[in-house]
Every structure is written in C-alpha cells, then in structure tokens.
Amino acid sequence: MQISTSRLGRSLATACLCASLCATVARPALAVEVGGVKLDETVQLASRELKLNGAGVRYKVIFKVYTIALYLPEKKTQLADILALPGPRRLEIVMLRDITSDELGQAFMQGLKRSSDQADRTRLLSQTMQFGAMFEMVPGLKKGDILTVDWLPEEGTLCKLNGKQVGDTVPDLAFYNALLKIWIGAHPADTMLRAHLLGDMA
C-alpha cells in the first residue's frame, strides 16, 4: 500500500506539532513554594537573569509576617561572596499579614542599626534617611502585597510596591549591602531565615 508524499508530509507535521504541544504541557513550572507563596526560580532584572538564591519566612513570635526571597546573578552561600557579586540583585518581600508603614519602617531601621557598625551608619546616614522617607509614602502593607528592593548597577537601590516605584533610587552599593546584612549579616533578624536565604532551603 502506498501513501502519497503530501499525505505523509501532513502526517509528519501533525505528529511534530502534537509532540511539541505535549512537551510544553509536560514542562514543570519553575517555581518553589515558601510560606504558602509561590516564588519564581528565576527573574529578569536589568537585562540579566537572576536565580533564586534562597527564601524563608520571617516570624514575629509565632506569627508569619512575610516571605522573603533573595535573587542573585549566581548562587552563593557566603555573605562576602554575595556582597562582591557584580550585577543586579533583588530582595522580594511578600506580606503574609497586614502591617502599618511605621512598623515596616521601624523594622528596616532597627535592622540597619543591628547589622551595621557605627562608622557605616554615619557614612550612610543620608541614604538611610532617604530610604526611611519612602515609608511615609505608603499608608500600609496588606497581606499579599509584594515589595521588591532591587540593586540596579547603573541606577541604585530601587523599591517597588506591587510593581509601582516608591520613592527615588538610592545610588550607593554600600547602602544596598547594608540592607542585605539585615537578613544575611553577622547579626541577622533571624538566624534560621539567614540560613534559608543563603541557600539552605530545608
């Protein structure tokens, strides 16, 4: 029995299309779940692909406050290596309960005080005041809100709430590094959370 060339071509084309569609459907979603929040394993920032370095949940007493994720150009497990990385970086905070802007601002400022020495706090005072003023622009954060704190090499520290920029950029890498130290420095807000952000996702 002979099959025409055109019919054979159509059959092969149909088979290839089906295989392609099946492969697309079968591909697993590139996301992980932390604290009930789905986080992408990669994000695009400043024309670079950043990888999820680690993520965890911040607790206050027994209550979940937020899920936080750290994205870097390449995965690192040591603070010094992270601070030395060139390129963009991202902290993504997803709220798990409502808090006021004052509470969030105080948490940031207390974290900076705890994780930075006096010399750094003095040198970064103007940037810290600029960053603190940002919280006056936000009436409060609700459960499900997403706050991103990005380092953009050509611009500075940029904050967005649910995708909308909040305040001006803060153009000093030392300031962004000071922010990172709140969670992954020698005196972090939570040692378990620090371990998770440094790649221990267990």
Side-chain angles (χ1 to χ4, degrees), residues 70-109:
L70 174 62
Y71 290 91
L72 301 171
E74 57 186 272
K75 292 191 175 184
K76 297 292 182 182
T77 60
Q78 300 297 320
L79 173 64
D81 294 335
I82 291 173
L83 299 185
L85 269 178
R89 309 170 195 168
R90 165 169 288 178
L91 283 168
E92 181 172 306
I93 298 171
V94 183
M95 300 307 303
L96 300 178
R97 61 179 304 183
D98 296 356
I99 66 172
T100 67
S101 59
D102 285 343
E103 289 175 321
L104 184 62
Q106 289 175 11
F108 268 105
M109 297 309 156

Side-chain angles (χ1 to χ4, degrees), residues 124-187:
L124 299 172
L125 180 59
S126 62
Q127 292 97 320
T128 301
M129 292 178 65
Q130 179 182 341
F131 190 77
M134 177 193 75
F135 296 105
E136 298 177 4
M137 305 176 188
V138 180
L141 298 180
K142 303 295 184 181
K143 182 178 179 180
D145 280 350
I146 301 173
L147 179 68
T148 56
V149 185
D150 295 336
W151 170 251
L152 305 174
E154 302 301 322
E155 300 178 48
T157 298
L158 175 65
C159 292
K160 290 185 178 181
L161 178 60
N162 298 325
K164 183 178 180 180
Q165 182 173 339
V166 181
D168 298 323
T169 56
V170 182
D172 192 335
L173 178 56
F175 178 74
Y176 193 84
N177 285 342
L179 290 179
L180 286 180
K181 290 178 185 177
I182 293 175
W183 292 277
I184 61 174
H187 305 286

Side-chain angles (χ1 to χ4, degrees), residues 32-35 37 39 52-58 67-71 92 192-202:
V32 297
E33 187 171 313
V34 179
V37 175
L39 299 167
L52 178 63
N53 197 72
V57 176
R58 175 70 170 120
T67 291
I68 182 169
L70 174 62
Y71 290 91
E92 181 172 306
M192 184 63 72
L193 180 55
R194 178 183 188 272
H196 289 166
L197 289 171
L198 291 177
D200 181 3
M201 299 293 283

Side-chain angles (χ1 to χ4, degrees), residues 3-18:
I3 301 176
S4 69
T5 302
S6 60
R7 183 179 176 187
L8 179 60
R10 288 195 299 271
S11 298
L12 288 173
T14 301
C16 289
L17 178 61
C18 289

